[in-house]
Coordinates of all heavy atoms in Angstrom, one line a residue:
Y20 N -5.9 -54.3 53.6 CA -4.5 -54.5 53.8 C -3.7 -54.4 52.5 O -4.3 -54.8 51.4 CB -4.2 -55.9 54.3 CG -4.5 -56.1 55.8 CD1 -5.6 -57.0 56.1 CD2 -3.9 -55.4 56.8 CE1 -5.9 -57.1 57.5 CE2 -4.2 -55.6 58.1 CZ -5.2 -56.4 58.4 OH -5.5 -56.6 59.7
V21 N -2.6 -53.8 52.5 CA -1.7 -53.6 51.3 C -0.3 -54.1 51.7 O 0.0 -54.1 52.9 CB -1.7 -52.1 50.9 CG1 -3.0 -51.6 50.4 CG2 -1.2 -51.2 52.1
P22 N 0.5 -54.4 50.7 CA 1.8 -55.0 51.0 C 2.9 -54.0 51.4 O 3.9 -54.4 52.0 CB 2.1 -55.8 49.7 CG 1.4 -55.1 48.7 CD 0.1 -54.6 49.3
T23 N 2.7 -52.7 51.1 CA 3.8 -51.8 51.3 C 3.3 -50.4 51.9 O 2.1 -50.1 51.7 CB 4.5 -51.4 50.0 OG1 3.7 -50.7 49.1 CG2 5.1 -52.7 49.3
R24 N 4.2 -49.7 52.5 CA 3.8 -48.4 53.0 C 3.3 -47.5 51.9 O 2.4 -46.7 52.0 CB 5.0 -47.7 53.7 CG 5.5 -48.5 54.8 CD 6.9 -47.9 55.3 NE 7.4 -48.7 56.4 CZ 8.6 -48.4 57.0 NH1 9.2 -47.3 56.6 NH2 9.0 -49.1 58.0
R25 N 4.0 -47.5 50.8 CA 3.7 -46.6 49.6 C 2.3 -46.9 49.2 O 1.5 -46.0 48.9 CB 4.7 -46.8 48.5 CG 4.5 -45.7 47.4 CD 5.4 -46.0 46.2 NE 4.6 -46.8 45.2 CZ 5.1 -47.8 44.6 NH1 6.3 -48.2 44.8 NH2 4.4 -48.5 43.8
K26 N 1.9 -48.2 49.1 CA 0.6 -48.6 48.6 C -0.5 -48.1 49.6 O -1.6 -47.7 49.2 CB 0.5 -50.1 48.5 CG 1.3 -50.6 47.3 CD 0.6 -50.5 46.0 CE 1.5 -51.2 45.0 NZ 1.0 -50.9 43.6
A27 N -0.1 -48.1 50.9 CA -1.1 -47.6 51.9 C -1.4 -46.2 51.7 O -2.6 -45.7 51.8 CB -0.5 -47.9 53.3
E28 N -0.4 -45.4 51.5 CA -0.5 -43.9 51.2 C -1.3 -43.7 50.0 O -2.3 -42.9 50.0 CB 0.8 -43.2 51.1 CG 1.6 -43.3 52.4 CD 1.2 -42.3 53.5 OE1 0.4 -41.4 53.2 OE2 1.6 -42.5 54.6
E29 N -1.0 -44.4 48.9 CA -1.6 -44.2 47.6 C -3.1 -44.6 47.6 O -4.0 -43.8 47.1 CB -0.9 -44.9 46.5 CG 0.5 -44.4 46.2 CD 1.2 -45.3 45.2 OE1 0.8 -46.4 44.9 OE2 2.4 -44.9 44.8
L30 N -3.4 -45.7 48.2 CA -4.8 -46.2 48.2 C -5.6 -45.3 49.1 O -6.8 -45.1 48.8 CB -4.8 -47.7 48.6 CG -6.2 -48.3 48.5 CD1 -6.8 -48.2 47.1 CD2 -6.1 -49.8 48.9
A31 N -5.1 -44.9 50.2 CA -5.8 -44.0 51.1 C -6.3 -42.7 50.4 O -7.5 -42.3 50.5 CB -5.0 -43.6 52.4
V32 N -5.4 -42.1 49.6 CA -5.8 -40.9 48.9 C -6.8 -41.3 47.8 O -7.8 -40.5 47.7 CB -4.5 -40.3 48.2 CG1 -4.9 -39.2 47.2 CG2 -3.5 -39.8 49.3
K33 N -6.6 -42.3 47.1 CA -7.6 -42.7 46.1 C -9.0 -43.0 46.6 O -10.0 -42.6 46.1 CB -7.1 -43.9 45.3 CG -6.0 -43.6 44.4 CD -5.5 -44.8 43.6 CE -4.2 -44.5 42.8 NZ -3.7 -45.7 42.1
L34 N -9.0 -43.7 47.7 CA -10.3 -44.1 48.4 C -11.0 -42.8 48.9 O -12.2 -42.7 48.8 CB -10.2 -45.1 49.5 CG -9.9 -46.5 49.0 CD1 -9.6 -47.4 50.2 CD2 -11.1 -47.1 48.3
A35 N -10.3 -41.9 49.5 CA -10.9 -40.7 50.0 C -11.4 -39.9 48.9 O -12.5 -39.3 49.0 CB -9.8 -39.9 50.8
Q36 N -10.7 -39.7 47.8 CA -11.2 -39.0 46.7 C -12.4 -39.6 46.0 O -13.4 -38.9 45.7 CB -10.1 -38.8 45.6 CG -9.0 -37.9 46.1 CD -7.8 -37.9 45.1 OE1 -7.7 -38.8 44.2 NE2 -6.9 -36.9 45.3
A37 N -12.4 -40.9 45.9 CA -13.5 -41.6 45.3 C -14.8 -41.7 46.1 O -15.9 -41.8 45.6 CB -13.1 -43.0 44.8
T38 N -14.6 -41.8 47.4 CA -15.8 -42.0 48.3 C -16.2 -40.9 49.1 O -17.3 -40.9 49.6 CB -15.5 -43.2 49.2 OG1 -14.5 -42.8 50.1 CG2 -15.1 -44.5 48.5
G39 N -15.3 -39.9 49.3 CA -15.6 -38.8 50.2 C -15.6 -39.2 51.7 O -16.0 -38.4 52.5
R40 N -15.2 -40.4 52.0 CA -15.2 -40.8 53.4 C -13.8 -40.5 54.0 O -12.9 -40.2 53.4 CB -15.3 -42.4 53.4 CG -16.6 -42.8 52.9 CD -16.8 -44.3 53.0 NE -17.2 -44.5 54.4 CZ -17.8 -45.7 54.8 NH1 -17.9 -46.7 53.9 NH2 -18.2 -45.8 56.0
S41 N -13.8 -40.6 55.3 CA -12.6 -40.4 56.1 C -11.7 -41.7 55.9 O -12.1 -42.8 56.3 CB -12.9 -40.2 57.6 OG -11.7 -40.0 58.3
V42 N -10.5 -41.5 55.3 CA -9.6 -42.6 55.0 C -8.3 -42.2 55.5 O -7.8 -41.1 55.2 CB -9.6 -43.0 53.5 CG1 -8.7 -44.2 53.3 CG2 -11.0 -43.2 53.0
R43 N -7.6 -43.1 56.3 CA -6.3 -42.8 56.8 C -5.4 -44.0 56.6 O -5.8 -45.1 56.7 CB -6.4 -42.5 58.3 CG -7.1 -41.2 58.6 CD -7.0 -40.9 60.0 NE -7.9 -39.8 60.4 CZ -7.9 -39.2 61.5 NH1 -7.2 -39.6 62.5 NH2 -8.7 -38.2 61.8
P44 N -4.1 -43.7 56.3 CA -3.1 -44.7 56.1 C -2.6 -45.2 57.5 O -2.7 -44.4 58.5 CB -2.0 -44.1 55.3 CG -2.1 -42.6 55.7 CD -3.6 -42.3 56.0
Y45 N -2.1 -46.3 57.6 CA -1.5 -46.8 58.8 C -0.3 -47.8 58.5 O -0.5 -48.8 57.8 CB -2.5 -47.6 59.7 CG -1.9 -48.0 61.1 CD1 -2.0 -47.2 62.2 CD2 -1.2 -49.1 61.2 CE1 -1.5 -47.5 63.4 CE2 -0.6 -49.5 62.4 CZ -0.8 -48.7 63.5 OH -0.2 -49.0 64.7
H46 N 0.9 -47.4 58.8 CA 2.1 -48.2 58.6 C 3.2 -47.7 59.4 O 3.1 -46.6 60.1 CB 2.4 -48.1 57.1 CG 2.7 -46.8 56.5 ND1 3.8 -46.0 56.8 CD2 1.9 -45.9 55.8 CE1 3.8 -44.8 56.2 NE2 2.6 -44.8 55.6
A47 N 4.3 -48.5 59.5 CA 5.4 -48.2 60.4 C 6.2 -47.0 60.0 O 6.9 -46.5 60.8 CB 6.3 -49.5 60.4
G48 N 6.0 -46.5 58.8 CA 6.7 -45.3 58.4 C 6.2 -44.0 58.8 O 6.8 -42.9 58.7
L49 N 5.0 -44.0 59.4 CA 4.4 -42.8 59.9 C 5.1 -42.4 61.2 O 5.5 -43.3 62.0 CB 2.9 -43.0 60.2 CG 2.0 -43.3 59.0 CD1 0.6 -43.7 59.5 CD2 1.9 -42.1 58.1
D50 N 5.1 -41.1 61.5 CA 5.7 -40.7 62.8 C 4.7 -41.3 63.9 O 3.6 -41.4 63.7 CB 5.9 -39.2 62.9 CG 4.6 -38.4 62.9 OD1 4.0 -38.4 64.0 OD2 4.2 -37.9 61.8
P51 N 5.3 -41.5 65.1 CA 4.5 -42.2 66.2 C 3.2 -41.4 66.5 O 2.2 -42.1 66.8 CB 5.4 -42.2 67.3 CG 6.8 -42.2 66.7 CD 6.7 -41.4 65.5
E52 N 3.2 -40.1 66.5 CA 2.0 -39.3 66.8 C 0.9 -39.5 65.8 O -0.3 -39.7 66.1 CB 2.3 -37.9 67.0 CG 3.1 -37.5 68.3 CD 3.4 -36.0 68.3 OE1 2.8 -35.2 67.6 OE2 4.2 -35.7 69.2
T53 N 1.3 -39.5 64.6 CA 0.3 -39.7 63.5 C -0.2 -41.1 63.5 O -1.4 -41.3 63.4 CB 1.0 -39.4 62.1 OG1 1.4 -38.0 62.1 CG2 0.0 -39.6 60.9
R54 N 0.7 -42.1 63.6 CA 0.2 -43.4 63.7 C -0.7 -43.7 64.8 O -1.8 -44.3 64.6 CB 1.4 -44.4 63.8 CG 1.1 -45.8 63.5 CD 2.3 -46.7 63.4 NE 3.2 -46.7 64.5 CZ 4.4 -46.2 64.5 NH1 4.9 -45.7 63.4 NH2 5.2 -46.2 65.6
A55 N -0.4 -43.2 66.0 CA -1.3 -43.4 67.2 C -2.6 -42.6 67.0 O -3.7 -43.2 67.3 CB -0.6 -42.9 68.4
G56 N -2.6 -41.5 66.4 CA -3.8 -40.7 66.1 C -4.7 -41.4 65.1 O -5.9 -41.4 65.3
N57 N -4.1 -42.0 64.1 CA -4.9 -42.7 63.1 C -5.5 -43.9 63.7 O -6.7 -44.2 63.4 CB -4.0 -43.1 61.9 CG -3.7 -41.9 61.0 OD1 -4.1 -40.8 61.2 ND2 -2.9 -42.2 60.0
Q58 N -4.8 -44.6 64.5 CA -5.3 -45.8 65.2 C -6.5 -45.4 66.1 O -7.5 -46.1 66.1 CB -4.2 -46.6 65.9 CG -4.8 -47.8 66.6 CD -3.7 -48.7 67.2 OE1 -2.5 -48.5 66.9 NE2 -4.1 -49.7 68.0
A59 N -6.2 -44.4 66.9 CA -7.3 -44.0 67.9 C -8.5 -43.5 67.2 O -9.7 -43.9 67.6 CB -6.7 -42.8 68.8
A60 N -8.4 -42.8 66.1 CA -9.5 -42.3 65.3 C -10.3 -43.5 64.7 O -11.5 -43.6 64.7 CB -9.1 -41.4 64.2
F61 N -9.6 -44.5 64.2 CA -10.2 -45.8 63.7 C -11.0 -46.5 64.8 O -12.2 -46.9 64.6 CB -9.2 -46.7 63.1 CG -9.7 -48.0 62.7 CD1 -10.6 -48.1 61.7 CD2 -9.4 -49.2 63.4 CE1 -11.1 -49.4 61.3 CE2 -9.9 -50.4 63.1 CZ -10.7 -50.5 62.0
V62 N -10.4 -46.7 66.0 CA -11.1 -47.4 67.0 C -12.3 -46.6 67.5 O -13.3 -47.2 67.8 CB -10.1 -47.6 68.2 CG1 -10.8 -48.2 69.4 CG2 -9.0 -48.6 67.8
A63 N -12.3 -45.3 67.5 CA -13.4 -44.5 68.0 C -14.5 -44.3 66.9 O -15.6 -44.0 67.2 CB -12.9 -43.1 68.4
S64 N -14.2 -44.5 65.6 CA -15.1 -44.3 64.6 C -16.0 -45.5 64.2 O -15.5 -46.6 64.4 CB -14.3 -43.8 63.3 OG -15.2 -43.7 62.2
E65 N -17.1 -45.2 63.6 CA -17.9 -46.3 63.1 C -17.9 -46.5 61.6 O -18.4 -47.4 61.1 CB -19.4 -46.1 63.6 CG -19.6 -46.3 65.1 CD -21.0 -46.3 65.5 OE1 -21.9 -46.5 64.6 OE2 -21.3 -46.1 66.7
D66 N -17.3 -45.5 60.9 CA -17.4 -45.5 59.5 C -16.1 -45.1 58.8 O -16.0 -44.9 57.6 CB -18.5 -44.7 58.9 CG -18.3 -43.2 59.2 OD1 -17.4 -42.8 60.0 OD2 -19.1 -42.4 58.7
M67 N -15.0 -45.1 59.6 CA -13.7 -44.7 59.0 C -13.1 -45.9 58.3 O -13.3 -47.1 58.6 CB -12.7 -44.3 60.1 CG -11.3 -44.0 59.6 SD -10.2 -43.5 60.9 CE -10.9 -41.8 61.0
V68 N -12.3 -45.6 57.2 CA -11.6 -46.6 56.5 C -10.1 -46.4 56.8 O -9.6 -45.3 56.8 CB -11.8 -46.4 55.0 CG1 -11.0 -47.4 54.2 CG2 -13.3 -46.6 54.6
V69 N -9.4 -47.5 57.0 CA -8.0 -47.5 57.3 C -7.3 -48.4 56.2 O -7.7 -49.5 56.0 CB -7.6 -47.9 58.7 CG1 -6.1 -48.1 58.8 CG2 -8.1 -47.0 59.7
V70 N -6.3 -47.8 55.6 CA -5.6 -48.6 54.6 C -4.2 -48.9 55.3 O -3.5 -47.9 55.6 CB -5.3 -47.8 53.3 CG1 -4.5 -48.6 52.3 CG2 -6.7 -47.4 52.7
A71 N -4.0 -50.1 55.5 CA -2.8 -50.5 56.4 C -2.0 -51.6 55.9 O -2.5 -52.4 55.1 CB -3.4 -50.8 57.8
T72 N -0.8 -51.6 56.3 CA 0.1 -52.8 56.1 C -0.4 -53.8 57.1 O -1.1 -53.5 58.1 CB 1.6 -52.4 56.3 OG1 1.8 -51.9 57.5 CG2 2.0 -51.5 55.2
V73 N 0.1 -55.0 57.0 CA -0.3 -56.1 57.9 C -0.1 -55.9 59.4 O -0.7 -56.4 60.2 CB 0.2 -57.5 57.5 CG1 -0.3 -57.9 56.1 CG2 1.7 -57.5 57.5
A74 N 0.9 -55.0 59.7 CA 1.2 -54.7 61.1 C 0.0 -54.1 61.9 O -0.2 -54.3 63.1 CB 2.3 -53.8 61.3
F75 N -0.9 -53.5 61.2 CA -2.1 -52.8 61.8 C -3.0 -53.8 62.5 O -3.5 -53.6 63.6 CB -2.9 -52.1 60.8 CG -4.1 -51.3 61.3 CD1 -3.9 -50.3 62.2 CD2 -5.4 -51.7 61.0 CE1 -5.0 -49.6 62.7 CE2 -6.5 -51.1 61.6 CZ -6.3 -50.0 62.4
G76 N -3.2 -55.0 61.9 CA -4.1 -55.9 62.4 C -3.7 -56.6 63.7 O -4.5 -57.1 64.5
M77 N -2.4 -56.5 64.0 CA -1.9 -57.1 65.2 C -2.3 -56.3 66.4 O -1.8 -55.2 66.6 CB -0.3 -57.2 65.1 CG 0.1 -57.9 63.8 SD -0.4 -59.6 63.7 CE 0.7 -60.4 64.8
G78 N -3.1 -56.9 67.2 CA -3.5 -56.2 68.5 C -4.7 -55.3 68.4 O -5.1 -54.7 69.4
I79 N -5.4 -55.2 67.2 CA -6.6 -54.3 67.2 C -7.7 -55.1 67.7 O -8.0 -56.2 67.3 CB -6.8 -53.9 65.7 CG1 -5.7 -53.0 65.2 CG2 -8.2 -53.2 65.6 CD1 -5.6 -51.8 66.0
D80 N -8.4 -54.5 68.7 CA -9.6 -55.1 69.3 C -10.8 -54.2 69.1 O -11.0 -53.3 69.8 CB -9.3 -55.3 70.8 CG -10.5 -56.1 71.5 OD1 -11.2 -56.8 70.8 OD2 -10.6 -56.0 72.7
K81 N -11.4 -54.5 67.9 CA -12.6 -53.6 67.5 C -13.7 -54.6 67.0 O -13.5 -55.2 66.0 CB -12.1 -52.7 66.4 CG -13.2 -51.7 66.0 CD -12.6 -50.6 65.1 CE -13.7 -49.8 64.4 NZ -14.5 -48.9 65.3
P82 N -14.8 -54.6 67.8 CA -15.8 -55.6 67.5 C -16.6 -55.3 66.2 O -17.3 -56.2 65.7 CB -16.7 -55.6 68.7 CG -16.5 -54.2 69.3 CD -15.1 -53.8 69.0
D83 N -16.6 -54.1 65.7 CA -17.5 -53.7 64.6 C -16.8 -53.5 63.3 O -17.3 -52.7 62.5 CB -18.3 -52.5 65.0 CG -17.5 -51.3 65.3 OD1 -16.3 -51.4 65.5 OD2 -18.0 -50.2 65.5
V84 N -15.7 -54.2 63.1 CA -15.1 -54.2 61.7 C -16.0 -54.9 60.8 O -16.3 -56.0 61.0 CB -13.7 -54.8 61.7 CG1 -13.1 -54.9 60.3 CG2 -12.8 -54.0 62.6
R85 N -16.4 -54.2 59.7 CA -17.4 -54.8 58.8 C -16.8 -55.5 57.6 O -17.5 -56.3 57.0 CB -18.4 -53.7 58.4 CG -19.2 -53.1 59.6 CD -20.2 -52.1 59.1 NE -20.9 -51.6 60.3 CZ -20.8 -50.3 60.6 NH1 -20.3 -49.5 59.8 NH2 -21.4 -49.9 61.7
F86 N -15.7 -55.0 57.2 CA -15.1 -55.5 56.0 C -13.6 -55.4 56.0 O -13.1 -54.4 56.4 CB -15.7 -54.7 54.8 CG -15.3 -55.2 53.5 CD1 -15.9 -56.4 52.9 CD2 -14.4 -54.5 52.7 CE1 -15.6 -56.8 51.7 CE2 -14.0 -55.0 51.4 CZ -14.6 -56.1 50.9
V87 N -12.9 -56.4 55.5 CA -11.5 -56.4 55.4 C -11.2 -56.8 53.9 O -11.6 -57.8 53.4 CB -10.7 -57.4 56.3 CG1 -9.3 -57.4 56.0 CG2 -11.0 -57.0 57.7
A88 N -10.4 -55.9 53.2 CA -10.1 -56.2 51.8 C -8.6 -56.3 51.7 O -7.8 -55.5 52.3 CB -10.6 -55.0 50.9
H89 N -8.1 -57.3 50.9 CA -6.7 -57.5 50.7 C -6.4 -56.8 49.3 O -6.9 -57.3 48.3 CB -6.4 -58.9 50.7 CG -6.6 -59.6 52.0 ND1 -5.6 -59.7 52.9 CD2 -7.7 -60.2 52.5 CE1 -6.2 -60.3 54.0 NE2 -7.4 -60.6 53.7
A90 N -5.7 -55.7 49.3 CA -5.4 -55.0 48.1 C -4.1 -55.4 47.5 O -3.5 -54.7 46.7 CB -5.4 -53.5 48.3
G91 N -3.6 -56.5 47.9 CA -2.4 -57.1 47.3 C -2.4 -58.6 47.7 O -3.0 -59.0 48.7
V92 N -1.8 -59.4 46.8 CA -1.8 -60.8 47.1 C -0.7 -61.2 48.1 O 0.5 -60.8 47.9 CB -1.6 -61.6 45.8 CG1 -1.5 -63.1 46.0 CG2 -2.7 -61.3 44.8
P93 N -1.1 -61.8 49.2 CA 0.0 -62.2 50.1 C 0.9 -63.2 49.5 O 0.6 -64.0 48.6 CB -0.8 -62.9 51.3 CG -2.2 -62.4 51.1 CD -2.4 -62.1 49.6
K94 N 2.2 -63.2 50.0 CA 3.2 -64.1 49.5 C 3.0 -65.5 49.8 O 3.6 -66.4 49.1 CB 4.6 -63.6 49.9 CG 4.9 -62.2 49.4 CD 6.3 -61.7 49.9 CE 6.5 -60.3 49.5 NZ 7.7 -59.8 50.0
S95 N 2.3 -65.9 50.8 CA 2.1 -67.3 51.2 C 0.7 -67.4 51.9 O 0.1 -66.4 52.3 CB 3.2 -67.7 52.2 OG 3.0 -67.0 53.4
I96 N 0.3 -68.6 52.1 CA -1.0 -68.9 52.7 C -0.9 -68.5 54.2 O -1.8 -68.0 54.8 CB -1.4 -70.3 52.6 CG1 -2.9 -70.5 52.9 CG2 -0.6 -71.3 53.4 CD1 -3.8 -69.9 51.9
E97 N 0.3 -68.6 54.8 CA 0.5 -68.2 56.2 C 0.4 -66.7 56.3 O -0.2 -66.2 57.3 CB 1.9 -68.7 56.7 CG 2.1 -70.1 56.9 CD 2.4 -70.9 55.6 OE1 2.7 -70.3 54.5 OE2 2.2 -72.1 55.6
S98 N 0.9 -66.0 55.3 CA 0.7 -64.5 55.3 C -0.7 -64.1 55.2 O -1.2 -63.2 55.9 CB 1.6 -63.8 54.2 OG 2.9 -64.0 54.4
Y99 N -1.4 -64.8 54.4 CA -2.9 -64.5 54.2 C -3.6 -64.8 55.5 O -4.4 -63.9 55.9 CB -3.5 -65.4 53.1 CG -4.9 -65.2 52.9 CD1 -5.5 -64.2 52.2 CD2 -5.9 -66.1 53.5 CE1 -6.8 -63.9 52.1 CE2 -7.2 -65.9 53.4 CZ -7.7 -64.8 52.7 OH -9.0 -64.7 52.5
Y100 N -3.3 -65.8 56.2 CA -3.9 -66.2 57.5 C -3.6 -65.1 58.5 O -4.5 -64.7 59.2 CB -3.5 -67.5 58.0 CG -4.1 -67.9 59.3 CD1 -5.4 -68.4 59.3 CD2 -3.3 -67.9 60.4 CE1 -5.9 -68.7 60.5 CE2 -3.9 -68.2 61.7 CZ -5.2 -68.7 61.7 OH -5.8 -69.0 62.9
Q101 N -2.4 -64.6 58.5 CA -2.0 -63.5 59.5 C -2.8 -62.3 59.2 O -3.3 -61.6 60.1 CB -0.5 -63.3 59.4 CG -0.1 -62.1 60.3 CD 1.4 -61.8 60.2 OE1 2.1 -62.4 59.5 NE2 1.8 -60.8 61.0
E102 N -3.0 -61.9 57.9 CA -3.7 -60.7 57.6 C -5.2 -60.9 57.9 O -5.8 -59.9 58.3 CB -3.6 -60.5 56.1 CG -2.2 -60.1 55.7 CD -2.0 -59.9 54.2 OE1 -3.0 -59.7 53.5 OE2 -0.9 -59.9 53.7

């Protein structure tokens, strides 16, 4: 999770370059088709990385998420809990 749309885009590019893995951004600023495509690809994949704002986690039902990293400090303990 990242705090802003810009950070989602930047970190996705950096992670893809550094790891060679499939990495996609997810945030409200993406056009609906891209956002839906990125979410569908994530749900169908076993090794994809998604760099997202906190909105992504709301409603995702994926049993095999292996790791969640917070790439920004949440503003409150409630925000951390939501993420």
Side-chain angles (χ1 to χ4, degrees):
Y20 288 115
V21 293
T23 66
R24 296 172 185 181
R25 188 184 93 225
K26 294 279 187 189
E28 296 284 344
E29 291 173 355
L30 187 54
V32 169
K33 288 179 184 178
L34 284 173
Q36 291 172 344
T38 66
R40 297 183 84 160
S41 178
V42 182
R43 296 188 186 184
Y45 185 94
H46 56 74
L49 295 171
D50 65 81
E52 288 179 13
T53 301
R54 191 170 57 246
N57 288 357
Q58 182 173 345
F61 172 70
V62 171
S64 175
E65 291 187 19
D66 64 351
M67 175 178 284
V68 176
V69 171
V70 180
T72 56
V73 296
F75 181 68
M77 305 300 283
I79 295 298
D80 186 17
K81 182 167 169 70
D83 59 349
V84 172
R85 294 186 187 119
F86 185 75
V87 175
H89 298 270
V92 178
K94 294 178 183 177
S95 67
I96 198 71
E97 290 82 12
S98 295
Y99 177 79
Y100 180 75
Q101 178 183 357
E102 292 176 19

